[in-house]
C-alpha cells in the first residue's frame, strides 16, 4: 500500500501495492511441502498403523488441521502478488474460515499431544482419561467444533471491501473492520495462544524433570530420554518460532490501526512483517511430522521403508529396534538409587 498522506483528515486515499514476491513464493513452497508431508502422514496413520492408541488419534487430527490450509496456496499467492483479491466475497470468507481452523486447530492439537505425552510418561502406571481412546475421540470432535464455530463467526463479521481500485480480503487496511479486528484479536489471543502455550510450558517443564531421572544405562531408558527431549524441543520450537511472532505482530498491528490510524508508514511495515510471519506460521505444517517420528516407531519405520523403495537407505541401529510407546513407558531408577540398593543388601 502506497500512502500519499499520513492523515485521513485531508481525505487523501492510499493505493494498494503487492507484497514482496519472496513472501508469496515462500508461502507457496511451504504449503506445497506441507501438503506432501501431511498426505504421507495420513497415509501412514490410515494404512500402516494397525492399532491406534489415544495419542495416534491426536496426531492424525493434527495432520488434518495442517492439510486444511494447503488448498489455499494458489489463492494466497495470487492475492499477495497482486495486492488484490479477485476471487469474490464467498471465497474470501472460506479463506478466513480455513485460516482460523488451521491456526487454532494446530495450536490446540499440538497442546493436547504435549499433555498426552506428559501424562503417559510421568503417570504411566495410573489411569487417566487422556489415555482412553473413546475420550480422546470425543475431545477431537470438541476441538473441531470449537475452531469451526470461531472461524464461522469471524467470517460472518468479515469479508471483502474496496480500497481505491483494489478489493481486499482479511486486511488491516479495511477501515470498516478495524473494531472487529481489534475485538477478535484479543478475544482469541488468550484462549487460542496464551493458555495453550502456558499449558505446554508447564507440561514440558515437569516432563523434563521426569526424564532426567531415567536410567540412561538401560537401552530403553536412553532411547526414551532422547525421544522425549527431541519431542519437547520440536513442540517448543513450533510454538516459539511459528505461532508466537504472528500473534505478537498481529496484536501490535490492530492496536496501531485502532488508536493510531494515521501512522501509515508504521502500518505498512507491520503489514509486511505480518505476512512474513505467515511464512513462519505455515512452516509448522512441515515441522509437525517430526513429532510423529518421535512419538511412533511405526511411523519412522514406514518412512524409512518408503525411502528404501526409491533407493535411499538408512543404517538401522540398536536404538531403532527398541520399542518405545508412550503408553508403556516407565521411568527407571537412577544409577545412584541402584548403587544404594546394592550397598544396603
Amino acid at each position: 500500500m502506497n500512502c500519499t498522506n499520513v492523515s485521513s483528515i485531508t481525505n487523501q486515499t492510499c493505493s494498494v501495492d503487492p507484497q514482496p514476491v519472496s513472501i508469496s513464493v515462500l508461502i507457496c513452497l511451504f504449503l506445497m511441502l506441507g501438503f506432501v508431508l501431511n498426505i504421507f502422514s495420513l497415509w501412514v496413520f490410515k494404512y500402516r498403523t494397525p492399532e491406534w492408541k489415544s495419542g495416534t488419534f491426536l496426531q492424525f487430527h493434527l495432520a488434518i488441521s495442517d492439510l486444511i490450509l494447503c488448498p489455499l496456496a494458489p489463492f494466497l499467492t495470487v492475492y499477495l502478488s497482486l495486492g488484490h483479491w479477485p476471487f469474490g466475497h464467498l471465497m474470501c470468507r472460506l479463506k478466513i474460515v480455513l485460516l482460523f481452523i488451521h491456526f487454532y486447530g494446530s495450536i490446540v492439537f499440538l497442546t493436547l499431544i504435549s499433555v498426552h505425552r506428559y501424562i503417559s510418561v510421568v503417570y504411566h502406571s495410573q489411569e487417566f482419561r487422556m489415555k482412553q481412546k473413546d475420550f480422546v475421540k470425543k475431545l477431537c470432535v470438541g476441538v473441531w467444533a470449537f475452531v469451526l464455530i470461531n472461524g464461522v463467526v469471524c467470517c460472518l463479521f468479515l469479508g471483502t471491501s474496496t480500497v481505491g481500485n483494489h478489493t481486499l480480503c482479511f486486511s488491516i487496511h479495511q477501515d470498516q473492520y478495524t473494531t472487529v479486528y481489534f475485538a477478535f484479536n484479543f478475544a482469541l489471543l488468550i484462549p487460542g495462544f496464551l493458555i495453550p502455550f502456558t499449558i505446554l510450558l508447564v507440561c514440558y517443564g515437569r516432563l523434563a524433570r521426569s526424564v532426567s531421572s531415567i536410567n540412561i544405562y538401560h537401552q530403553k531408558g536412553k532411547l526414551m530420554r532422547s525421544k522425549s527431549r527431541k519431542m519437547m524441543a520440536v513442540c517448543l520450537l513450533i510454538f516459539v518460532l511459528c505461532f508466537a511472532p504472528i500473534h505478537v505482530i498481529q496484536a501490535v498491528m490492530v492496536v496501531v490501526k485502532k488508536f493510531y490510524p494515521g501512522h501509515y508508514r508504521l502500518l505498512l511495515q507491520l503489514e509486511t512483517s505480518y505476512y512474513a510471519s505467515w511464512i513462519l506460521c505455515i512452516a509448522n505444517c512441515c515441522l509437525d511430522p517430526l513429532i510423529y517420528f518421535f512419538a511412533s516407531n511405526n511411523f519412522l519405520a514406514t518412512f524409512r521403508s518408503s525411502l528404501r523403495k526409491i533407493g535411499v537407505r538408512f543404517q538401522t541401529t540398536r536404538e531403532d529396534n527398541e520399542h518405545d510407546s508412550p503408553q508403556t513407558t516407565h521411568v527407571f531408577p537412577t544409577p545412584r538409587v541402584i548403587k544404594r540398593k546394592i550397598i544396603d543388601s
Side-chain angles (χ1 to χ4, degrees), residues 25 40 50 57 63-64 79 86 154 178 197 222 231-232 235 237 256 258 270 272 279 293 296 303 315 335 343 345:
V25 171
F40 174 78
F57 285 97
I64 292 178
Y79 180 43
C154 289
T178 298
F197 188 43
K222 182 178 180 181
M231 187 172 176
M232 285 187 287
C235 290
L237 176 66
V256 172
K258 175 70 174 176
L270 288 172
T272 301
I279 300 173
F293 286 117
S296 172
F303 177 75
Q315 181 179 1
I343 295 175
S345 60

Side-chain angles (χ1 to χ4, degrees), residues 188-202:
L188 293 173
L189 179 63
I190 295 177
F193 176 72
L194 293 180
I195 291 179
F197 188 43
T198 302
I199 293 174
L200 183 139
L201 290 177
V202 172

